[in-house]
Amino acid sequence: MARVLYDLVGKEGLRFSPFVWRAKAVLKYKELPYKTVPCTFHMIRSGTLPSSSRTVPVLVEQGKIVADSWDIAMHLENTHPQKKIFPHQGSKEAAMLFSNSSAFRLHRAIFPLVAPYAFEAVVDEDKDVMREKVSGRLSESLEQLQQREGALYEAYRQELAGLDRALGQMKETQSKGRAALPSPFLLGESFSYCDALLFATIRWPASFIGTHKALGEGKLPNLNEWWVKTNKALGMDPEQGKYYE
């Protein structure tokens, strides 16, 4: 039976959900083939997904239905232990902390920046859902957000700059007292779910404004180095912005 992942879709098949990209990152790292089922916001809300889930991602594997990106990661780690995403003790706790701190702050900066782009990217029947999401989370309209794009991008870039500094400090700490090169990933020498979380978060704006701008326009060397290594671990092109599957 094919492994199937239910995915949010926009016009021309654009895939931009950061939560679905978390699941895709794990599948790609573990080299597990899958097919996607594209779903609009209205399809998701109508309860047509397996087990009537109202969010994506949803994974169906060997008849088992798993919803929520964290639960999917745990399921895949338990059933496909090769190339672990929680490689050592404390990895799960570190991923939960990262999700609730750094990734959360990035999401908060990204949403107002990309909301006008997402509104244009979703299919016509989903535009009312996007307006509802914006009005439910922000005090500004889509039109007001679009007018403040420069300031919103700078706020996002400042969050990236903090991550870039942290990555630089990690490299310095890891290099002290030994000849070996510093570890390329967030938790050490191998890819982990922390990397999947950050990768998926940056893939979100990259789907709309391109990878160069989503990574700070080349001014954040540590983050850009991490991005290249992470995409290589996933078998992906670090330069590609839009994906349609």
Side-chain angles (χ1 to χ4, degrees):
M1 182 182 295
R3 187 178 294 108
V4 175
L5 185 69
Y6 288 76
D7 190 1
L8 178 64
V9 67
K11 289 179 180 177
E12 301 178 354
L14 181 66
R15 312 301 173 91
F16 57 87
S17 167
F19 301 102
V20 178
W21 271 110
R22 293 178 180 184
K24 288 180 177 178
V26 177
L27 288 163
K28 289 177 180 295
Y29 179 65
K30 289 179 175 288
E31 301 181 81
L32 299 171
Y34 63 93
K35 295 181 179 179
T36 61
V37 176
C39 304
T40 64
F41 277 125
H42 274 283
M43 290 172 61
I44 295 167
R45 287 189 166 191
S46 69
T48 59
L49 273 63
S51 74
S52 299
S53 176
R54 298 304 176 95
T55 61
V56 289
V58 175
L59 177 72
V60 181
E61 181 181 50
Q62 299 295 322
K64 183 176 179 61
I65 300 170
V66 189
D68 182 82
S69 55
W70 176 264
D71 290 341
I72 290 172
M74 295 296 296
H75 164 76
L76 293 174
E77 184 77 337
N78 292 332
T79 55
H80 306 280
Q82 72 276 18
K83 301 184 73 173
K84 291 183 176 297
I85 57 169
F86 300 110
H88 50 72
Q89 187 175 1
S91 297
K92 293 177 185 177
E93 292 79 5
M96 292 180 69
L97 177 62
F98 185 83
S99 178
N100 292 325
S101 56
S102 297
F104 175 78
R105 288 196 302 271
L106 265 179
H107 272 246
R108 193 165 55 184
I110 291 169
F111 182 74
L113 173 65
V114 304
Y117 290 95
F119 178 76
E120 295 300 324
V122 297
V123 298
D124 290 343
E125 67 176 24
D126 280 350
K127 292 191 182 298
D128 59 332
V129 179
M130 273 305 305
R131 284 199 179 274
E132 178 185 321
K133 286 180 176 292
V134 170
S135 63
R137 292 180 58 176
L138 303 172
S139 60
E140 296 175 278
S141 67
L142 284 163
E143 292 73 20
Q144 290 171 320
L145 294 173
Q146 194 168 29
Q147 291 174 0
R148 292 205 310 116
E149 180 177 358
L152 293 170
Y153 176 74
E154 181 57 25
Y156 164 65
R157 197 193 67 79
Q158 288 300 321
E159 290 291 340
L160 292 181
L163 283 170
D164 186 73
R165 288 191 296 271
L167 286 167
Q169 291 168 358
M170 287 169 57
K171 287 167 66 176
E172 291 178 7
T173 300
Q174 292 163 354
S175 296
K176 284 182 179 179
R178 64 174 188 171
L181 293 174
S183 301
F185 298 104
L186 294 180
L187 293 186
E189 296 180 358
S190 62
F191 179 90
S192 75
Y193 195 57
C194 283
D195 297 289
L197 291 170
L198 182 55
F199 165 81
T201 301
I202 295 176
R203 274 246 45 88
W204 185 17
S207 300
F208 303 116
I209 63 176
T211 54
H212 179 69
K213 195 168 183 179
L215 288 165
E217 300 181 314
K219 299 175 182 178
L220 305 172
N222 300 308
L223 184 64
N224 279 261
E225 180 184 1
W226 167 87
W227 178 258
V228 170
K229 292 177 179 177
T230 295
N231 275 268
K232 183 178 180 180
L234 301 179
M236 297 178 64
D237 180 359
E239 300 295 328
Q240 185 169 341
K242 297 179 184 293
Y243 280 87
Y244 298 92
E245 60 179 4

